[in-house]
C-alpha cells in the first residue's frame, strides 16, 4: 500500500484513510517541532487523483463462510462475548477495521489481500446489533443468510464515515483502537462529538481512558480508547482451531516431503533450477493437498548469499540458480481451509563446511532450547527470546530479527498481539492456545543464511511445584518436517539435544509417513533415522 504525503509550503497534507490515528498523531507532533502543520484531506483522495481512469478495479471475488467445524465458535457466541466487554468498559459500540479481526469475528473468509483470507470491510458492533460495511456484490445468498442469522446488517463500504457521525449524534460511547483504526474514522468521530456538544452549548469534550470509571453511559458521546479486545480473543485458539492447524500442518508436511525428494533428485542430476522454479514447484505440490487455498506469503527460496537477505524474494529476471555447493534456505507457508502454515528449512545438497555446520548447529540448539522452555503464566514473549540466541551469543554471533510471531488459524500468517523478540516493549503474556513461530537464524553477509522454523502452540505443563501458586506453560509442536542431519555438528550437541532431535524425527515419521508412498515415503524414512552421538 502507498502512503501519501504532499508537502505544500509549511504544510504536509495527509490522506486519512492510509494512516492509523496513532501514526497520524505521531507524525503531527513530529513535524510541529519543525514549524510544519499536518493538514488532513477530507473529500479528496490523492491516490485516486493520480490514478484517474486507470485506477485498478477493487477485488470482486465472493467471500465464503468459515465452517463452524474449523471456527469452533459461532458468530452469536463471539458477539455476545464482545458485547460483555463493551459493557464492562462503559462503551456502547466498537468500530473494527482490522481485516482479520472482522473475518475471525464473523466466521467469514475472503481473498481481497494476497496470501491472506480476508476481505475489505469495516464492522460496527453495538449492544443491540451490528453493521458490516463492504461491497455487497461479494456477498452470496448463503453468506447473506449467515449474516442475517447473526443479526448483522449489510451496508455499503463507503458509508462508514456517515455511520460514525450518526453514532456520535446518538450519544454513543464508541470504543476506538487508535493503533489500528484509521485517522479518518477517529477524526470524524471527534468532529461529530464536538458538533454534538456544541449543539448543547457545551464546547468542551474529553477523552476517557478505557479503565476510567467516567466511561458510563451518561452525558454525550465519548471515545473509549483501548486496544481491540478481538485481537487477544483471536490469538487464543480454541480446540477446533488447534485441531485444524494440526491437520493442515500434517498435509503440508507431506507436500514438503514430496517436494524435497523432487528437488534433491533434480539437483543430483545436475538440472539447473532457478530459485523461482523451485518455489513454483513447491506451490505445485502444495496445491494438490486437500483444502489448499493459497500460499501464506511469498516464498523465500534463497541459494547461497541470497539466504543472508532476511526477506529475500526471488524474481524471474534476476534470481539465482540453486547451487549444489551452497546452503539453500526455504521459508514458505500455505493457507488451507482449516489452517495456516509457516516453515523454514535450511539444507545443503553437497558437503557443508565446518563453519556452516557450526553455525547451523548453534541455531538448532537455540531452536531446541526455546521449544523446551517452561515458564510461569503471565510471562511476556520477550523474556523467552534469550533461549534462542544464547548458543550464538557464546561465540559472538546473533541475528537481527525477532524469534517468533503469532500465527492465525486459517487467517493471517502474521498476527498479534503476542511475539517472541528482543524488542521488549511488547508486554503481552503468552497464553494457553496461542500459536507462535520458533525461528532463530544466522546470516553471514555475502555468504549464506540459516533459519530453522517450526510453529508451536502454548500449552499447560505439569510441574512438580507451583511456586507462588501460578501455573506453568510450555510449547507443543505443530510442524513435522525433518531437519537435515548432515548440517549438524554432533560434537556440539548434548545428549539431551540429541534425544530431542531423535524424538522429533520419530514423531515426524509416525505422523507423516501414513500420508506418503513411493520415493517420498522412503525419503522420510531416510531423513528421520536416529542420530548417535
Amino acid at each position: 500500500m502507498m502512503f501519501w504525503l504532499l508537502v505544500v509550503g509549511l504544510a504536509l497534507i495527509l490522506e486519512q484513510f492510509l494512516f492509523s490515528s496513532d501514526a497520524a498523531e505521531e507524525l503531527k507532533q513530529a513535524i510541529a517541532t519543525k514549524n510544519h502543520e499536518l493538514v488532513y484531506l477530507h473529500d479528496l483522495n490523492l491516490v485516486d487523483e493520480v490514478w484517474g481512469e486507470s485506477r485498478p478495479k477493487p477485488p470482486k471475488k465472493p467471500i465464503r463462510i468459515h465452517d463452524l467445524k474449523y471456527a469452533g465458535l459461532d458468530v452469536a457466541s463471539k458477539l455476545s462475548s464482545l458485547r460483555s466487554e463493551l459493557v464492562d468498559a462503559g462503551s456502547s459500540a466498537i468500530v473494527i477495521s482490522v481485516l482479520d479481526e472482522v473475518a475471525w469475528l464473523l466466521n467469514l473468509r475472503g481473498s481481497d489481500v494476497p496470501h491472506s483470507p480476508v476481505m475489505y470491510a469495516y464492522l460496527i458492533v453495538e449492544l443491540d446489533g451490528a453493521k458490516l460495511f463492504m461491497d455487497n456484490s461479494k456477498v452470496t445468498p448463503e453468506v447473506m443468510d449467515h449474516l442475517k442469522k447473526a443479526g448483522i446488517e449489510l451496508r455499503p463500504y463507503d458509508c462508514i464515515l456517515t455511520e460514525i457521525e450518526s453514532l456520535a449524534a446518538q450519544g454513543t460511547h464508541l470504543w476506538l483502537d487508535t493503533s489500528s483504526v484509521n485517522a479518518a474514522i477517529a477524526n470524524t468521530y471527534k468532529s461529530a462529538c464536538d458538533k454534538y456538544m456544541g449543539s448543547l452549548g457545551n464546547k468542551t469534550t474529553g477523552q476517557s481512558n478505557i479503565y476510567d470509571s467516567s466511561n458510563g453511559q451518561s452525558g454525550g458521546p465519548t471515545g473509549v480508547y483501548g486496544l481491540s479486545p478481538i485481537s487477544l480473543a483471536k490469538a487464543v485458539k480454541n480446540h477446533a482451531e488447534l485441531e485444524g492447524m494440526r491437520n493442515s500442518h500434517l498435509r503440508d508436511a507431506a507436500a514438503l516431503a514430496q517436494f524435497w525428494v523432487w528437488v534433491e533428485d533434480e539437483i543430483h542430476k545436475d538440472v539447473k533450477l532457478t530459485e523461482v522454479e523451485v518455489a513454483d514447484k513447491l506451490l505445485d505440490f502444495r496445491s494438490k493437498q486437500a483444502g489448499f487455498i493459497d500460499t501464506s506469503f511469498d516464498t523465500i527460496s534463497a541459494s547461497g548469499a541470497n539466504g543472508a537477505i532476511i526477506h529475500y524474494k526471488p524474481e524471474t529476471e534476476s534470481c539465482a540458480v540453486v547451487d549444489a555447493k551452497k546452503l539453500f534456505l526455504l521459508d514458505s507457508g500455505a493457507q488451507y481451509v482449516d489452517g495456516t502454515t509457516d516453515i523454514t528449512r535450511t539444507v545443503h545438497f553437497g558437503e557443508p563446511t565446518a563453519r556452516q555446520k557450526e553455525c547451523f548447529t548453534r541455531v538448532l540448539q537455540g531452536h531446541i532450547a526455546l521449544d523446551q522452555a517452561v515458564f510461569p503464566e503471565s510471562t511476556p514473549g520477550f523474556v523467552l527470546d534469550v533461549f534462542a540466541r544464547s548458543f550464538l551469543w557464546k561465540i559472538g554471533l546473533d541475528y537481527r530479527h525477532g524469534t517468533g510471531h503469532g500465527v492465525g488459524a486459517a487467517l493471517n500468517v502474521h498476527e498479534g498481539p503476542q511475539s517472541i523478540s528482543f524488542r521488549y516493549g511488547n508486554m503481552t503474556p503468552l497464553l494457553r492456545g496461542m500459536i507462535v513461530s520458533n525461528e532463530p537464524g544466522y546470516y553471514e553477509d555475502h555468504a549464506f543464511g540459516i533459519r530453522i522454523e517450526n510453529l508451536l502452540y502454548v500449552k499447560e505443563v505439569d510441574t512438580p511445584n507451583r511456586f507462588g501458586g501460578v501455573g506453568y506453560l510450555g510449547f507443543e509442536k505443530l510442524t513435522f518436517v525433518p531437519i537435515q542431519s548432515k548440517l549438524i555438528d554432533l560434537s556440539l550437541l548434548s545428549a539431551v539435544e540429541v534425544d530431542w532431535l531423535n524424538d522429533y524425527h520419530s514423531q515426524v515419521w509416525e505422523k507423516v509417513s501414513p500420508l506418503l508412498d513411493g520415493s517420498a515415503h522412503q525419503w522420510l524414512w531416510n531423513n528421520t533415522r536416529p542420530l548417535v552421538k
Side-chain angles (χ1 to χ4, degrees):
M1 177 178 286
M2 301 176 71
F3 298 111
W4 282 76
L5 282 172
L6 180 65
V7 181
V8 181
L10 295 178
L12 271 75
I13 299 175
L14 178 141
E15 214 302 305
Q16 294 187 89
F17 284 97
L18 301 181
F19 286 78
S20 73
S21 178
D22 283 354
E25 185 61 29
E26 184 179 348
L27 181 61
K28 180 179 181 180
Q29 294 177 11
I31 67 172
T33 64
K34 303 296 183 181
N35 296 319
H36 284 18
E37 178 186 7
L38 188 65
V39 178
Y40 296 113
L41 288 176
H42 292 279
D43 302 318
L44 179 69
N45 186 321
L46 293 179
V47 179
D48 289 347
E49 292 298 309
V50 172
W51 264 331
E53 295 299 318
S54 63
R55 175 183 175 178
K57 300 297 182 184
K60 294 287 187 180
K61 289 185 179 180
I63 59 176
R64 57 185 169 86
I65 298 170
H66 187 54
D67 199 294
L68 186 59
K69 67 182 178 182
Y70 305 133
L73 202 61
D74 61 33
V75 179
S77 298
K78 292 179 179 181
L79 289 174
S80 177
S81 296
L82 174 60
R83 287 173 174 133
S84 293
E85 295 203 50
L86 296 183
V87 171
D88 291 344
S91 171
S92 48
I94 184 171
V95 57
I96 304 159
S97 61
V98 179
L99 302 188
D100 63 330
E101 292 186 7
V102 175
W104 178 85
L105 188 62
L106 299 184
N107 288 346
L108 293 176
R109 298 294 187 268
S111 56
D112 290 355
V113 177
H115 312 299
S116 298
V118 296
M119 58 281 178
Y120 291 128
Y122 295 103
L123 178 66
I124 292 176
V125 177
E126 300 174 78
L127 298 182
D128 57 356
K131 299 180 181 73
L132 176 64
F133 298 80
M134 66 175 300
D135 181 352
N136 63 9
S137 70
K138 295 185 287 191
V139 180
T140 65
E142 181 185 20
V143 171
M144 181 63 78
D145 185 58
H146 172 80
L147 293 173
K148 286 181 177 179
K149 287 179 179 177
I152 298 162
E153 300 177 39
L154 190 62
R155 298 289 178 87
Y157 182 75
D158 56 6
C159 288
I160 181 65
L161 296 186
T162 301
E163 184 65 25
I164 295 295
E165 291 174 338
S166 176
L167 289 173
Q170 297 167 30
T172 301
H173 293 205
L174 185 63
W175 187 326
L176 291 165
D177 180 350
T178 53
S179 69
S180 60
V181 73
N182 61 50
I185 289 175
N187 290 334
T188 295
Y189 181 70
K190 182 179 183 301
S191 297
C193 288
D194 291 343
K195 182 178 179 180
Y196 178 99
M197 300 306 289
S199 68
L200 299 179
N202 181 354
K203 301 297 184 182
T204 62
T205 61
Q207 292 184 353
S208 63
N209 185 280
I210 189 170
Y211 300 110
D212 194 317
S213 61
S214 65
N215 283 334
Q217 296 299 302
S218 61
T222 307
V224 177
Y225 297 91
L227 295 176
S228 168
I230 304 165
S231 178
L232 191 60
K234 174 170 57 65
V236 177
K237 276 59 178 178
N238 58 47
H239 175 77
E241 289 173 322
L242 287 175
E243 188 65 19
M245 290 292 279
R246 291 189 193 99
N247 293 334
S248 60
H249 275 74
L250 294 182
R251 300 196 305 278
D252 201 58
L256 281 157
Q258 294 163 347
F259 162 79
W260 284 117
V261 169
W262 173 83
V263 74
E264 288 180 5
D265 285 348
E266 296 295 288
I267 294 293
H268 293 152
K269 289 187 293 188
D270 292 326
V271 176
K272 299 300 182 186
L273 296 172
T274 68
E275 295 164 331
V276 168
E277 288 171 335
V278 168
D280 288 345
K281 191 64 177 181
L282 175 57
L283 173 58
D284 184 52
F285 281 114
R286 276 192 165 122
S287 65
K288 293 180 172 64
Q289 291 296 322
F292 176 84
I293 294 173
D294 192 6
T295 53
S296 56
F297 55 95
D298 288 320
T299 297
I300 300 173
S301 170
S303 180
N306 289 337
I309 304 170
I310 292 172
H311 296 294
Y312 175 71
K313 179 186 176 183
E315 302 288 352
T316 302
E317 61 277 2
S318 59
C319 69
V321 171
V322 176
D323 192 331
K325 298 178 181 178
K326 297 178 180 179
L327 284 176
F328 177 68
L329 186 153
L330 185 73
D331 186 352
S332 67
Q335 294 286 3
Y336 296 93
V337 68
D338 53 345
T340 302
T341 70
D342 183 3
I343 173 175
T344 308
R345 289 294 182 264
T346 307
V347 302
H348 202 296
F349 299 110
E351 291 301 321
T353 66
R355 169 70 172 180
Q356 291 169 341
K357 290 176 71 171
E358 179 184 17
C359 294
F360 182 90
T361 305
R362 291 186 178 276
V363 170
L364 175 60
Q365 288 176 296
H367 181 96
I368 294 171
L370 179 57
D371 179 272
Q372 292 187 307
V374 176
F375 48 95
E377 290 178 335
S378 302
T379 300
F382 77 83
V383 174
L384 306 182
D385 186 71
V386 66
F387 283 97
R389 298 179 192 270
S390 60
F391 295 92
L392 289 166
W393 284 354
K394 287 176 182 177
I395 58 170
L397 299 180
D398 203 351
Y399 53 96
R400 297 188 181 96
H401 60 73
T403 299
H405 58 82
V407 179
L411 261 178
N412 291 357
V413 74
H414 287 89
E415 74 168 17
Q418 76 277 19
S419 69
I420 300 174
S421 174
F422 59 89
R423 302 175 183 89
Y424 50 83
N426 187 346
M427 298 301 294
T428 304
L430 296 180
L431 304 174
R432 278 168 291 188
M434 282 184 169
I435 295 175
V436 293
S437 63
N438 173 8
E439 50 181 310
Y442 173 66
Y443 310 90
E444 200 148 288
D445 292 343
H446 314 296
F448 60 83
I450 296 167
R451 186 159 64 249
I452 304 171
E453 177 185 16
N454 283 352
L455 297 191
L456 313 170
Y457 67 88
V458 182
K459 66 173 185 177
E460 190 170 359
V461 174
D462 185 18
T463 53
N465 303 289
R466 294 170 66 92
F467 183 81
V470 303
Y472 281 74
L473 303 173
F475 296 114
E476 188 72 31
K477 286 176 279 293
L478 288 168
T479 308
F480 292 98
V481 174
I483 295 169
Q484 192 178 57
S485 59
K486 77 158 70 170
L487 275 168
I488 298 170
D489 182 346
L490 277 175
S491 69
L492 294 176
L493 293 187
S494 68
V496 170
E497 290 165 335
V498 173
D499 287 344
W500 180 94
L501 188 64
N502 288 338
D503 178 69
Y504 177 61
H505 281 159
S506 176
Q507 291 183 62
V508 171
W509 171 253
E510 178 186 346
K511 293 175 182 292
V512 182
S513 62
L515 305 178
L516 298 170
D517 54 22
S519 59
H521 191 270
Q522 185 62 49
W523 178 90
L524 193 71
W525 171 263
N526 294 341
N527 284 274
T528 54
R529 294 309 85 214
L531 298 180
V532 179
K533 183 173 170 65

